[in-house]
Amino acid sequence: MTIATGQKEARRELQPGSSRLLRNIWEHRADYAYVLPAIVVMLIVIAYPIYYTIELSFFNTPPGLQLRDKNFIGLDNYTAILTSEVFWKVTWNTLIWTLGSTFISFVLGFATALALHRDFIGRGVLRAILIIPWVISAVAASYIWKWIYHSDFGIIGAVLVELGLADRPPNFIDSVGTVLPSLIVVNIWREFPFAMIMMMAGLQTVPDQLLRAAKVDGANAWQRFWHVTFPHLRNVSTVTILLLAVANFNSFIIPWIMTGGGPSNASHIWITHIYELAFGRQRWGVASAYSVLLFLILMTLGYFYVRALGGNERKDGSA
Amino acid sequence: MTRITLGGAVLRGAVSTALVASLMSAPALGAPPVDLSKWSPEYVRSIAGTQDFDTAGDCAKVTPLDYKGRLTFWYQGVFEGDPDLLRQYYKDFFATFRKTYPNIQLEEQALTYNDLLDKFRTALLGNAAPMAVRLQILGGTEFASKGYLQPLKPEDVGYSTEDFWPGALKAVTWDGVTYGIPTNNETMAFIWNADIFKRAGLDPDKPPATWDDVVKYSKQIHDKLGIAGYGLVARKNAGNTPYRFMPQLWAYGGGVFDEATANPTYKQIELDSPQSKAALQASYDMYVRDKSVPVSALTNQQADNQPLFLAGQLGMMISHPSDYNVMLDLQKKATGTDKDKAQTVIDNMRYGLIPTGPDGKRAVVFGGSNIHILKPEYVEGGKVDEPAAKAIICMWTSPEWSLKMAYAGSNPGNLNGFKTKWMKERLDNIKFLDVTTSMLPYGIPFPALPQSPEIMNIIVPDMLQNALTGAMTVDQAADDAAKKVKDLMGGGL
């Protein structure tokens, strides 16, 4: 055996997996050809922007220059972000916004789903009405709520003053203390129907015979819920919470339209702050670094989402 | 002795008539410029309707009327706060352009003041900008300094540099080169409701003389009537905020830099000066101490103050002459008793000069818009149809259309617009126009720097919000803003 032949064989022994993979690809070449256009499109519209954003995050992009005149500054954008006061303020706002909106939307949606799971007259109509906030355009809803909250002429303030419960209309969105909770209420109003629908679908998978058996065994309503219903809903709950969390982390429309992140940055969350950095202040480099950090956080949430989905599928025996 | 024959008299009469007629219809290029040293409402009235212009004829010399081409064009168009009258003129302009240049395929896109900069900047990053763009006055220097715009001066479209306000041309000049042509220039005025003044125990025909008076009057109105006194606006990323706060800042002797001086150098930052802090303190006193202005000022724009004013819930505000027409439009939409209430407000609407500072200094933002041609490499398709772009620019900046497109809310960028018959008609139709034209000489342009949009749309409103929400003291807010400007000018992250 020559040295060259020996090396080849050694390489083959070292890479049994890769040759199997290549053979596999070759055998399924028609399948790959079918998905190739989709992969190419994804590479263009997803992979390249991600790559470019990561690249840009290592550059200084002075607002007085064109983007092509950017200069490499390594990790300075990340350092600047992590040491800036605004970052921590905006991160804190984002956490309150995401956790508050997600948790309350889920609890409210779940409670409503449980209430609507029972049979009563008008259930269908009520379901339809409760879905309205979710199907309404977020932009339209934001403008409507801006007027409802209006600090001088909002309907809530007018009713409170009319009933003698307040001397002057409460300040919902022009105060640093109340603006974020006020926006969270709007977000919950828009999102809880989604949680409701998901949980209603989940409730339909709970086997009736188990509930009846538990009742025969003397379990009260709470025990039936906690020991029978809830375990069946664990996976759909996880998926719902993760989807809500990702959507809330990525929220833009409600805070941007209603307050533009103000007053005094009190309702700036990550996405609105990134938008202002990029398009208002043209700090493309810093905005990209923010986006990369946000991407990592969302990928982590995405990982748990996929895991939760995988758990579902395994339980169903479908994977 | 000279004998005058009948034939000679007829001949001389015919010649002189022809001469006058030809002068009356002389192209803009040949017309004597408006004398800015004589500027006053009387002078404006005296020149209105004295000259006719042949727009199509003038523009045919720039781009032949049978020219065949294609043009993509974005512009800052009318928005919810504009009167219906202006909407009609915009429609008429594009219809007339298509009729005058039937072989130019025009693809225009209107954007609001607050959206245009964001969209235009994004398009430039992707080399997908339009061939020509009409931007707010703040934008010219930013894009010229970055090299996106082609040099373009009034002479390139058949006019003369003297036909435009020098301050307006400064806003389109970078490094000594002109990159655009002003379409309209404006200064706002002080508006008050005489009935509210009367009921609050103030002289209904006398506006506040100083900004300190504005603070006092606002408090008096609020205390006596329980309504908002002055229409403060402090929303971020909204052009309305600097247009209302900067006159106050300059009147107190402050500024972002030295932009309020005759020959600004933009070297020294003045936002943290005692004068600037005094101006900020006045806003703080109205919003926080006296609570005499709309609470919603931090999230509102001027468009939100208009219905407040019409509802008789606001005593004073700074705005355009067009607000009178806006009020008329809004009143038409009102129903029942609201209609009568609105009419009462309109009847009591008064316009005056913007108040002075403690030292008698009066100032107002010299606003407006400019029109530009992009360099081909930043345009979708990599080509710019220059003759087509010059055709629309010639038409928009003509005496006729620069007047008509600014009919209710602004003033013509081309000074010859003041000589047209439409100016004369406008002086009769648009109430209070005299006041805003009187404010023009007090106009101060925003700093002609690429950083100006960020300073005016973000840093200045942030300063106001930080002080008015109590997030910072007045001193801290001013110092913080000055530091941000310093960092920005230093190219910091």
Side-chain angles (χ1 to χ4, degrees):
Chain A
M1 190 171 74
T2 62
I3 293 171
T5 319
Q7 280 176 340
K8 261 188 200 168
E9 280 182 3
R11 219 178 294 142
R12 208 174 295 145
E13 276 168 24
L14 277 172
Q15 300 173 327
S18 61
S19 60
R20 219 178 15 246
L21 178 72
L22 287 173
R23 199 168 52 243
N24 217 339
I25 290 173
W26 179 249
E27 281 166 7
H28 292 90
R29 58 190 179 278
D31 302 337
Y32 285 107
Y34 289 133
V35 295
L36 190 64
I39 289 172
V40 170
V41 170
M42 280 178 70
L43 282 174
I44 293 168
V45 301
I46 299 176
Y48 178 72
I50 290 173
Y51 157 75
Y52 189 57
T53 305
I54 293 170
E55 187 200 355
L56 211 51
S57 73
F58 299 115
F59 284 85
N60 181 21
T61 56
L65 297 174
Q66 281 194 29
L67 196 53
R68 66 182 179 199
D69 300 323
K70 61 188 186 287
N71 39 57
F72 184 77
I73 52 166
L75 292 170
D76 282 5
N77 284 330
Y78 291 94
T79 315
I81 288 171
L82 295 171
T83 54
S84 87
E85 224 173 87
V86 181
F87 168 76
W88 295 108
K89 187 176 181 178
V90 170
T91 302
W92 180 243
N93 287 348
T94 311
L95 281 175
I96 293 174
W97 164 267
T98 306
L99 296 177
S101 301
T102 304
F103 180 71
I104 302 174
S105 294
F106 175 72
V107 170
L108 200 60
F110 195 179
T112 319
L114 283 171
L116 290 176
H117 191 56
R118 296 161 175 228
D119 210 7
F120 59 88
I121 297 167
R123 187 173 71 154
V125 175
L126 202 58
R127 267 186 197 168
I129 290 172
L130 287 172
I131 288 171
I132 289 174
W134 189 51
V135 296
I136 260 182
S137 140
V139 174
S142 303
Y143 278 111
I144 291 167
W145 274 95
K146 196 180 164 192
W147 276 101
I148 290 174
Y149 276 150
H150 197 285
S151 307
D152 297 294
F153 296 103
I155 191 163
I156 299 176
V159 169
L160 291 176
V161 172
E162 197 66 31
L163 294 174
L165 297 171
D167 292 337
R168 53 187 296 161
N171 188 346
F172 290 110
I173 53 174
D174 289 279
S175 153
V176 286
T178 53
V179 63
L180 200 54
S182 303
L183 297 187
I184 288 173
V185 168
V186 180
N187 201 30
I188 291 165
W189 171 83
R190 243 190 70 74
E191 271 185 346
F192 91 90
F194 169 74
M196 182 188 82
I197 292 165
M198 293 288 282
M199 299 315 287
M200 271 166 47
L203 281 168
Q204 283 169 16
T205 66
V206 181
D208 242 7
Q209 62 269 35
L210 277 184
L211 288 166
R212 280 201 297 273
K215 200 172 183 181
V216 169
D217 287 345
N220 60 27
W222 168 251
Q223 286 169 326
R224 288 200 301 276
F225 168 74
W226 189 247
H227 294 292
V228 181
T229 307
F230 192 64
H232 271 91
L233 296 176
R234 196 167 289 151
N235 287 318
V236 71
S237 300
T238 311
V239 169
T240 305
I241 289 171
L242 281 168
L243 284 175
L244 283 173
V246 170
N248 288 326
F249 227 107
N250 266 322
S251 280
F252 176 77
I253 296 173
I254 292 173
W256 187 255
I257 287 183
M258 289 185 68
T259 62
S264 199
N265 295 331
S267 62
H268 252 321
I269 55 175
W270 270 41
I271 293 284
T272 57
H273 188 51
I274 289 171
Y275 181 84
E276 186 179 288
L277 278 169
F279 297 97
R281 301 176 56 200
Q282 301 170 83
R283 306 293 203 285
W284 308 103
V286 183
S288 298
Y290 257 107
S291 304
V292 170
L293 293 174
L294 181 65
F295 177 69
L296 293 175
I297 292 168
L298 290 177
M299 285 296 282
T300 310
L301 285 174
Y303 168 75
F304 286 113
Y305 171 68
V306 171
R307 267 191 63 166
L309 273 183
N312 263 347
E313 284 170 355
R314 274 192 296 279
K315 282 205 161 185
D316 295 346
S318 55
Chain B
M1 196 175 119
T2 313
R3 281 182 61 203
I4 302 173
T5 61
L6 181 63
V10 169
L11 184 65
R12 260 191 291 262
V15 168
S16 55
T17 306
L19 189 65
V20 170
S22 74
L23 277 176
M24 289 285 281
S25 63
L29 197 57
V34 170
D35 189 349
L36 294 178
S37 67
K38 292 182 186 165
W39 196 264
S40 70
E42 294 72 37
Y43 177 69
V44 172
R45 280 189 182 279
S46 75
I47 60 170
T50 58
Q51 202 168 338
D52 285 333
F53 297 90
D54 174 12
T55 306
D58 290 345
C59 292
K61 291 172 196 158
V62 177
T63 302
L65 299 183
D66 59 354
Y67 177 76
K68 199 173 176 185
R70 176 182 165 265
L71 178 67
T72 51
F73 177 55
W74 291 1
Y75 65 101
Q76 180 209 318
V78 284
F79 78 119
E80 70 267 30
D82 286 319
D84 293 340
L85 181 70
L86 199 60
R87 263 171 249 284
Q88 190 54 49
Y89 271 122
Y90 270 70
K91 278 184 196 165
D92 291 349
F93 172 77
F94 288 106
T96 308
F97 180 79
R98 287 193 165 92
K99 208 173 151 190
T100 312
Y101 285 99
N103 300 320
I104 293 180
Q105 185 196 333
L106 175 66
E107 293 162 28
E108 78 272 27
Q109 200 178 125
L111 294 150
T112 65
Y113 185 101
N114 295 338
D115 294 333
L116 179 57
L117 280 181
D118 287 359
K119 180 161 177 165
F120 186 55
R121 284 171 183 154
T122 313
L124 284 168
L125 292 177
N127 299 335
M131 296 176 198
V133 65
R134 177 182 176 245
L135 294 170
Q136 50 264 60
I137 200 163
L138 267 174
T141 329
E142 176 188 329
F143 299 105
S145 69
K146 288 182 180 180
Y148 290 124
L149 307 177
Q150 290 194 36
L152 177 73
K153 55 187 186 306
E155 284 74 11
D156 296 333
V157 289
Y159 305 116
S160 158
T161 296
E162 286 73 40
D163 292 337
F164 296 84
W165 286 93
L169 285 169
K170 206 155 74 175
V172 289
T173 304
W174 181 251
D175 261 356
V177 180
T178 310
Y179 288 94
I181 302 173
T183 55
N184 61 298
N185 292 108
E186 68 214 20
T187 47
M188 296 192 192
F190 197 83
I191 305 173
W192 76 98
N193 180 326
D195 179 50
I196 289 177
F197 267 43
K198 198 174 166 188
R199 287 191 283 125
L202 297 163
D203 184 341
D205 296 315
K206 207 172 150 196
T210 66
W211 277 100
D212 288 341
D213 287 344
V214 174
V215 177
K216 271 188 237 159
Y217 284 29
S218 186
K219 180 173 166 34
Q220 193 165 330
I221 290 168
H222 180 258
D223 290 351
K224 289 255 171 100
L225 306 174
I227 60 172
Y230 171 64
L232 188 95
V233 174
R235 188 185 164 104
K236 202 155 80 163
N237 282 309
N240 294 155
T241 305
Y243 273 84
R244 276 148 196 84
F245 182 67
M246 294 309 287
Q248 191 178 328
L249 190 69
W250 291 325
Y252 274 94
V256 176
F257 306 97
D258 57 349
E259 68 274 9
T261 59
N263 295 301
T265 57
Y266 311 128
K267 298 285 180 212
Q268 182 70 32
I269 296 163
E270 294 289 342
L271 264 180
D272 51 355
S273 70
Q275 292 86 348
S276 294
K277 286 178 181 175
L280 186 56
Q281 183 69 44
S283 293
Y284 177 88
D285 289 346
M286 288 190 277
Y287 191 85
V288 182
R289 189 192 68 190
D290 303 337
K291 295 181 173 51
S292 68
V293 294
V295 183
S296 52
L298 305 181
T299 40
N300 274 357
Q301 306 182 59
Q302 178 59 19
D304 302 296
N305 274 337
Q306 288 167 342
L308 268 183
F309 190 88
L310 190 67
Q313 296 293 315
L314 181 65
M316 307 172 277
M317 61 183 183
I318 287 183
S319 203
H320 297 280
S322 61
D323 268 37
Y324 181 76
N325 293 70
V326 172
M327 296 296 159
L328 290 175
D329 292 343
L330 287 173
Q331 194 254 2
K332 278 181 207 155
K333 289 169 195 159
T335 51
T337 52
D338 285 348
K339 211 173 180 73
D340 299 332
K341 280 184 196 166
Q343 189 57 51
T344 308
V345 172
I346 290 168
D347 293 342
N348 282 285
M349 206 170 168
R350 303 283 185 276
Y351 273 67
L353 299 182
I354 288 181
T356 66
D359 299 331
K361 189 172 183 182
R362 198 188 307 278
V364 65
V365 175
F366 189 84
S369 303
N370 323 303
I371 205 158
H372 310 272
I373 300 179
L374 277 291
K375 284 186 181 166
E377 57 264 42
Y378 303 109
V379 170
E380 197 165 17
K383 278 182 192 164
V384 169
D385 189 332
E386 269 189 51
K390 283 182 177 170
I392 203 164
I393 293 172
C394 173
M395 201 148 161
W396 195 316
T397 58
S398 66
E400 177 187 355
W401 285 103
S402 75
L403 184 288
K404 285 181 177 173
M405 303 291 267
Y407 198 90
S410 190
N411 281 301
N414 189 327
L415 289 164
N416 287 312
F418 285 99
K419 298 179 185 171
T420 61
K421 61 180 176 192
W422 298 285
M423 182 65 197
K424 195 169 170 54
E425 175 196 293
R426 191 173 171 236
L427 280 164
D428 297 331
N429 291 348
I430 307 291
K431 226 173 165 182
F432 311 119
L433 196 61
D434 278 351
V435 182
T436 50
T437 51
S438 302
M439 281 303 302
L440 275 165
Y442 299 105
I444 296 173
F446 286 126
L449 296 168
Q451 293 87 349
S452 263
E454 181 173 342
I455 293 171
M456 294 301 161
N457 293 337
I458 295 177
I459 295 177
V460 168
D462 252 347
M463 175 179 78
L464 272 164
Q465 292 201 347
N466 284 334
L468 303 187
T469 56
M472 292 179 188
T473 64
V474 166
D475 279 355
Q476 286 169 341
D479 293 342
D480 175 70
K483 187 181 173 302
K484 282 177 185 162
V485 174
K486 190 179 170 192
D487 290 347
L488 175 65
M489 299 309 289
L493 298 177

